[in-house]
Amino acid sequence: MMRQIWIERHGPPEVLALREAAMPTPRAGEVLIQVAAAGVNFADIMARRGVYPDAPRPPCVVGYEVAGEVIALGEGVAEFAVGQSVAALTRFGGYSTHVTVPQVQVFQLPAGLDPAHGAALPLTYLTAYQLVVAMGRLGKGETVLIHSAGGGVGLSAIELAHIVGAEVIGVASRAKHDFLRSRGVTRLVDARSEDLVTRVKALTDGRGVDLALDPIGGRSWRQSVDCLAPLGRLGAFGFAAAADRPGRWLPMLRAAAGVPWLRFTPLALMNANHGVFGVNLGHLWGETAMLRRWLLDILRWQSEGKINPVVDRSFPFAEAAAAHAHIEARRNVGKVLLVPRADSCPPAAR
Ligand SMILES: NC(=O)c1ccc[n+]([C@@H]2O[C@H](COP(=O)([O-])OP(=O)(O)OC[C@H]3O[C@@H](n4cnc5c(N)ncnc54)[C@H](OP(=O)(O)O)[C@@H]3O)[C@@H](O)[C@H]2O)c1
């Protein structure tokens, strides 16, 4: 038997429940992975609360990424061998002790990278890659504003921005600023206690930023657009504003009312010399060749020591509710993981 964490119904973290299920068998072209660590993404929290349209309807098992060991191969799988240490993209179902995954979504982990840091790589860094490199086209000497800079995607985006030679302004709760300084970000804003636009303008001698990466949505998108320099672009990649307060429809409607819809029309963008683009990695699942190319760049940078995933904490599967509550309370600095057994991963490293 295997174990899985189910979202029983929409609601608070306590709706997460551990259940047993039959062990899956890999079909042709699939790999069976014994999971050592599963990544928790903010989208899982939105799914649990019922404000994530892409998520399956409960009862369901979410989870976008895992790392572990290959323990069986389906017919025709030649690229992998039993015993290999791998990471994989799963959509959905990653909150499981065992997963079957099509081989195109599986990646061998470099020697020396433990599963905890392996599970912190796929979705988080691919999202950052799409934002910073593929669509944001951030260039040397440019400045990028990164919201939720202390989170999984935020910290990954900081590393990628530094790789391309750009300057970073990080937005995060003040308690995370010291850690962000240790990651080379000296220009920091706490948007909940300071006026974002005034502060960003002050930090850029009035010019603004070339790229703003904003997963908050609502009125935050308005502020981010106000922070843009001429030729600046906004990368919209989340709607965390809809999870700002308890409830489902009311927070969603309040967040939607804050979006500057008229500033996103072609005419408004033309007159402002601004660009707005959207990123939803979950809708690129069919683009496996492209995602593999991006992940190979990411793994190369990891092996060259240019990126170093930050794991905040690993929670045993039985404490999945505490893992969600930890992120919702904005306490995480880096990636939060779920591990099948409390002792199956090394202690969280920063
Ligand atoms: N479009 C895509 O393909 C894609 C892929 C991955 C992630 N995302 C989005 O990117 C964002 C970051 O994801 P992540 O998984 O790396 O999470 P995360 O940033 O590790 O964790 C959440 C952090 O977001 C900030 N935050 C902002 N609004 C919040 C709210 N209403 N409730 C709780 N925290 C809030 C908090 O940081 P501060 O206290 O410092 O503000 C919190 O620590 C999420 O919005 C997620 O939906 C999008």
Side-chain angles (χ1 to χ4, degrees):
M1 297 293 275
M2 68 163 175
R3 285 177 299 142
Q4 298 183 300
I5 300 160
W6 284 76
I7 297 177
E8 302 268 355
R9 59 187 179 283
H10 292 144
E14 293 69 35
V15 300
L16 295 172
L18 200 54
R19 285 195 204 164
E20 286 199 330
M23 183 69 84
T25 311
R27 289 175 299 192
E30 287 184 343
V31 170
L32 174 62
I33 299 170
Q34 181 169 339
V35 173
V40 181
N41 288 284
F42 200 78
D44 307 341
I45 283 152
M46 307 274 284
R48 197 206 71 228
R49 293 176 66 142
V51 291
Y52 184 42
D54 285 357
R57 290 174 70 82
C60 63
V61 180
V62 294
Y64 273 107
E65 58 196 343
V66 297
E69 184 185 327
V70 175
I71 57 166
L73 304 170
E75 205 185 305
V77 175
E79 203 185 317
F80 295 98
V82 169
Q84 264 178 345
S85 182
V86 294
L89 288 161
T90 53
R91 187 180 188 262
F92 295 86
Y95 285 19
S96 307
T97 56
H98 298 80
V99 287
T100 49
V101 188
Q103 60 178 333
V104 288
Q105 290 164 221
V106 183
F107 309 87
Q108 190 175 349
L109 286 178
L113 188 68
D114 62 71
H117 291 85
L121 276 173
L123 189 100
T124 311
Y125 277 89
L126 283 172
T127 305
Y129 190 102
Q130 188 178 349
L131 286 162
V132 172
V133 180
M135 292 186 81
R137 302 273 164 184
L138 188 64
K140 193 171 162 48
E142 286 194 321
T143 301
V144 56
L145 178 73
I146 300 180
H147 285 269
S148 301
V153 174
L155 288 166
S156 314
I158 289 168
E159 289 181 315
L160 301 192
H162 286 157
I163 287 173
V164 303
E167 302 279 329
V168 175
I169 299 177
V171 186
S173 294
R174 197 167 297 279
K176 302 172 187 174
H177 287 196
D178 278 346
F179 182 76
L180 287 162
R181 282 189 199 96
S182 78
R183 302 289 284 188
V185 182
T186 51
R187 294 189 284 177
L188 291 156
V189 187
D190 175 6
R192 285 189 293 162
S193 67
E194 301 173 274
D195 181 74
L196 180 76
V197 182
T198 309
R199 184 94 171 96
V200 167
K201 286 286 163 74
L203 288 168
T204 54
D205 296 327
R207 183 177 170 273
V209 297
D210 303 291
L211 179 64
L213 307 181
D214 190 333
I216 313 295
R219 58 188 284 276
S220 182
W221 282 345
R222 181 187 304 276
Q223 294 170 331
S224 287
V225 169
D226 283 340
C227 288
L228 293 179
L231 275 62
R233 44 282 169 213
L234 164 68
F237 69 109
F239 213 62
D244 236 1
R245 60 194 74 218
R248 200 171 161 202
W249 298 112
L250 199 59
M252 181 80 103
L253 288 173
R254 283 175 67 109
V259 174
W261 301 106
L262 294 178
R263 302 204 31 206
F264 291 170
T265 62
L267 278 178
L269 293 170
M270 178 178 84
N271 289 330
N273 286 299
H274 285 161
V276 175
F277 64 91
V279 162
N280 187 335
L281 200 77
H283 293 182
L284 284 180
W285 237 236
E287 303 285 340
T288 43
M290 184 178 72
L291 295 182
R292 286 190 80 80
R293 237 182 9 255
W294 294 357
L295 205 56
L296 289 178
D297 276 346
I298 291 162
L299 290 171
R300 181 169 45 81
W301 289 328
Q302 190 279 328
S303 63
E304 291 169 358
K306 292 180 178 161
I307 62 175
N308 178 18
V310 179
V311 174
D312 173 71
R313 265 182 79 175
S314 299
F315 289 83
F317 268 27
E319 293 171 23
H324 274 215
H326 180 67
I327 296 178
E328 281 179 282
R330 313 174 89 118
R331 284 200 290 263
N332 66 303
V333 179
K335 194 80 187 172
V336 173
L337 301 172
L338 295 167
V339 293
R341 290 177 303 277
D343 60 352
S344 62
C345 270
R350 279 194 187 161

